Amino acid sequence: MISIIIPTYNRPGPLHRALRSLTRQEYTDFEVIVVDDGGDQPARLVVDSWRTTLPIRLIENDHHGVSRARNTGLAAASGEFIAFLDDDDLVFPRHLRAAHTVLDRGTADAVYGSALVSSRWIETTPRHSRWLPRKDYEFDSRFLLCANYIHTGALMCRNFTDTPTRFTESMSHCEDWDLWLRLHRNLGYRFAYLGETTSVYHQVPQCRGAVSGAYLSSPTQFTLAHRHLFNTWPSTDQQILDYRAWFAEFDVRLDRLISCGGTAPDHIYESAVRSLYRGFANGKPADHAVLDSILPEHYSSGRHAAKVR
């Protein structure tokens, strides 16, 4: 059985869509654990509306953040496998079947598919989906020390609740990236990429979430999380250090842009990862010309910053 953990906070509409996507799954041996993180728009009405359709449980917490909410869900999970789904994302019908097929073979301990990144609500694959940004990267354990390229809702893994490994509750951003590193480097989990699109990662401007909220002040929450992760997971590998320096400069420029009144360009981190991943895999040094094309230095001036979108 698969335990699907969904933390939610004040987003009943998106939560409803996320749960609806689970009713369409080809693989049906699963339980759903919704953890309400103490919002003022309780999830109970939404969860109750799906009780006759889904094997679903609701846990209501005080507000402590997404990491503790996920850990609360983990404590209640009884499945052999764990899947994560955020309340504003969704999965396509083959998501659970594709992941379970690989995990059941015993050749991997954590698997993930490609995730479409959409700035509008979608529940099926758009006709022109090739134009959407996406997270669709083969697993590279060394590049995982530089950047997070695995979407939370795209991953399913063996249940690890018999170990001390959990989400770091002091982290509100990049906590999933930290967990992937813990699973891989501390528990020895073998990761595998499914090679098919199985989920949607929504970044809808009207729906305030962790990404949009993080880019409202400088230094951004992502800058602080990146610094923390690079300190937590040190490396002496020169190529990794080179790429980490690239991402550190990326954060500096983005912080400067925001401090001058500018707006973070849409999908800016996805663009950075996309631009660097292949070069890293091919053993090339980080390309600083790419950084200049994504975040030119002149964006940091007040005169230009407010025009950036």
Side-chain angles (χ1 to χ4, degrees):
M1 185 176 72
I2 302 166
S3 296
I4 304 168
I5 297 170
I6 306 178
T8 188
Y9 181 71
N10 285 342
R11 292 198 285 209
L15 174 62
H16 185 79
R17 283 186 284 265
L19 293 173
R20 181 161 56 205
S21 76
L22 294 176
T23 68
R24 300 167 178 164
Q25 290 301 295
E26 295 176 7
Y27 186 88
T28 58
D29 185 13
F30 63 83
E31 64 174 355
V32 183
I33 303 169
V34 176
V35 183
D36 189 341
D37 189 35
D40 54 19
Q41 299 179 52
R44 181 168 293 278
L45 287 178
V46 177
V47 171
D48 285 348
S49 71
W50 289 105
R51 287 194 187 278
T52 60
T53 310
L54 291 168
I56 190 167
R57 282 187 283 167
L58 173 65
I59 301 173
E60 295 174 307
N61 275 0
D62 292 333
H63 181 52
H64 293 293
V66 67
S67 292
R68 184 179 294 189
R70 290 202 187 106
N71 285 341
T72 299
L74 283 168
S78 57
E80 180 183 3
F81 305 111
I82 302 291
F84 301 104
L85 181 61
D86 285 349
D87 60 0
D88 59 339
D89 294 333
L90 59 85
V91 288
F92 292 134
R94 270 187 49 79
H95 174 69
L96 296 181
R97 180 177 295 282
H100 183 270
T101 297
V102 176
L103 289 172
D104 199 44
R105 288 191 201 125
T107 56
D109 306 295
V111 298
Y112 61 97
S114 169
L116 296 180
V117 183
S118 178
S119 56
R120 62 183 180 86
W121 299 113
I122 58 174
E123 294 193 47
T124 58
T125 306
R127 177 182 299 178
H128 302 298
S129 64
R130 67 183 183 276
W131 301 115
L132 287 177
R134 66 185 66 211
K135 291 176 174 283
D136 58 352
Y137 305 94
E138 293 281 353
F139 185 69
D140 186 316
S141 62
R142 293 173 60 249
F143 193 62
L144 193 62
L145 286 165
C146 304
N148 186 20
Y149 52 87
I150 302 173
H151 174 48
T152 313
L155 184 132
M156 193 164 96
C157 65
R158 298 192 186 282
N159 192 325
F160 53 89
T161 55
D162 61 343
T163 78
T165 296
R166 294 294 186 274
F167 287 93
T168 300
E169 295 189 357
S170 60
M171 298 184 71
S172 59
H173 295 77
C174 301
E175 73 289 339
D176 53 346
W177 181 9
D178 180 63
L179 183 71
W180 312 156
L181 287 166
R182 292 179 187 278
L183 291 176
H184 182 57
R185 300 181 72 83
N186 291 352
L187 299 187
Y189 269 36
R190 299 161 297 168
F191 278 64
Y193 172 57
L194 295 173
E196 62 178 283
T197 301
T198 63
S199 65
V200 179
Y201 175 25
H202 282 119
Q203 291 187 9
V204 179
Q206 304 93 314
C207 184
R208 172 102 177 252
V211 174
S212 59
Y215 289 139
L216 295 178
S217 60
S218 176
T220 73
Q221 291 298 314
F222 287 116
T223 294
L224 299 176
H226 295 166
R227 291 174 185 168
H228 171 76
L229 281 164
F230 292 166
N231 287 330
T232 301
W233 300 98
S235 176
T236 58
D237 183 313
Q238 190 55 51
Q239 188 189 24
I240 291 172
L241 295 175
D242 182 31
Y243 276 72
R244 284 183 168 186
W246 191 101
F247 278 105
E249 176 61 22
F250 168 90
D251 286 334
V252 166
R253 294 191 187 190
L254 189 55
D255 286 338
R256 192 180 299 138
L257 166 66
I258 292 169
S259 69
C260 291
T263 303
D266 291 342
H267 312 304
I268 184 65
Y269 184 74
E270 306 303 329
S271 296
V273 174
R274 174 74 56 191
S275 299
L276 292 192
Y277 173 84
R278 190 170 299 279
F280 183 94
N282 291 330
K284 296 180 179 178
D287 188 345
H288 286 267
V290 170
L291 180 58
D292 289 334
S293 69
I294 294 175
L295 281 172
E297 286 278 18
H298 67 262
Y299 276 0
S300 63
S301 71
R303 182 168 59 88
H304 293 278
K307 299 179 181 180
V308 179
R309 291 292 182 270

